[in-house]
Amino acid sequence: MQKKGILIVVSGFSGAGKGTLMKKLVSEYEGYALSVSMTTRKPRENEIDGREYYFVSREKFEEVIASQGLIEYATYVENYYGTPVEYVEEELKAGKDVLLEIEIQGALKVKEKFPSALLLFVMPPNIDELKNRLKQRGTESDEIINKRLKRAGEEAAGIEAYDYIVINDDLNECVKSLHQIIAAAHLTPGRNALFIEEFRKELKQN
Ligand code: 5GP
């Protein structure tokens, strides 16, 4: 049976540790491809163009929207963020599980376009931890941190649209659970319809 790639959406409040989790998942296990988004946000000090994001101007972003170059896009705290279509399609075709680390509006659009996408929501163990992580990052002003916390409140209202929540308490444990959830998702009947159909046909021939 040929393994077909799953499109996996990972969302979570700003400061929940999604970026670190994704990088670790990709480096520890085979078969994953991490999509790099495009954004109009300015790079943080440790970020590299083409690694964390493709950092572009508003004009460039709007050109890419117009040329249908994005699977989805959204605005988040005053900036555009979007998923380039080409990489995702290529990697899925190659049988990879493609990870999109995106916010909730984008996640819902992906689910509409790709009903078999798996939606995961990463949560910190508690609210104090969330605030600490946002502040410790030290890259955003108090004003932006407050906007991100407000946005977290809005996103919390939509968690039921996701298939699973994952609690990011211990990084290693969390990466392991993510991988296990994805391995289980590969085994749902809906994602194996062809295999099941073939099996049924062969059974009838007996
Ligand atoms: P940050 O500025 O902290 O890197 O990202 C802000 C938010 O934008 C995060 O919730 C992140 O998951 C989301 N995001 C990153 N890339 C994309 C994207 O391509 N599309 C959408 N819809 N959201 C994204």
Side-chain angles (χ1 to χ4, degrees):
M1 184 174 62
Q2 200 201 342
K3 186 177 170 252
K4 228 174 113 194
I6 301 182
L7 188 54
I8 302 157
V9 172
V10 181
S11 302
F13 312 130
S14 183
K18 288 162 293 173
T20 318
L21 266 176
M22 294 298 94
K23 282 185 188 146
K24 205 164 163 62
L25 182 67
V26 170
S27 72
E28 288 196 358
Y29 297 95
E30 303 261 308
Y32 290 109
L34 181 56
S35 161
V36 176
S37 294
M38 191 172 277
T39 184
T40 58
R41 166 167 81 58
K42 295 277 165 285
R44 294 182 185 127
E45 212 169 89
N46 52 352
E47 289 179 331
I48 295 176
D49 186 43
R51 188 182 69 184
E52 276 76 19
Y53 285 103
Y54 297 107
F55 295 98
V56 299
S57 64
R58 267 188 173 260
E59 293 70 34
K60 171 73 187 167
F61 199 101
E62 284 166 0
E63 266 172 47
V64 181
I65 297 174
S67 65
Q68 318 274 328
L70 302 174
I71 290 183
E72 60 70 41
Y73 70 94
T75 41
Y76 179 95
V77 188
E78 293 151 21
N79 279 297
Y80 278 132
Y81 294 80
T83 309
V85 67
E86 212 170 298
Y87 176 82
V88 171
E89 286 185 346
E90 274 170 15
E91 297 296 321
L92 282 176
K93 248 187 234 157
K96 293 277 176 69
D97 288 336
V98 180
L99 298 159
L100 308 183
E101 193 232 298
I102 66 180
E103 53 68 69
I104 191 161
Q105 296 169 31
L108 299 178
K109 284 187 218 155
V110 169
K111 187 74 187 176
E112 248 177 63
K113 281 197 184 167
F114 300 84
S116 66
L118 177 69
L119 269 56
L120 309 177
F121 197 96
V122 179
M123 299 187 70
N126 55 59
I127 185 78
D128 289 339
E129 185 65 25
L130 180 69
K131 288 183 184 165
N132 283 341
R133 286 186 200 171
L134 264 176
K135 284 187 187 138
Q136 269 166 16
R137 188 151 74 184
T139 52
E140 264 96 2
S141 64
D142 281 353
E143 190 199 344
I144 293 286
I145 290 177
N146 286 333
K147 284 188 181 166
R148 283 176 176 253
L149 281 170
K150 183 164 176 280
R151 178 64 180 247
E154 291 158 15
E155 295 205 319
I159 295 178
E160 282 82 356
Y162 288 76
D163 296 303
Y164 294 94
I165 62 162
V166 188
I167 312 282
N168 186 10
D169 194 351
D170 177 90
L171 180 65
N172 289 324
E173 285 302 314
C174 190
V175 168
K176 222 191 275 168
S177 341
L178 269 174
H179 182 66
Q180 284 167 348
I181 290 170
I182 296 163
H186 271 284
L187 299 174
T188 59
R191 294 193 181 88
N192 292 280
L194 262 180
F195 173 67
I196 295 169
E197 201 43 48
E198 282 298 308
F199 213 97
R200 284 195 179 125
K201 262 193 217 152
E202 284 172 20
L203 278 173
K204 270 192 195 150
Q205 284 160 9
N206 279 308

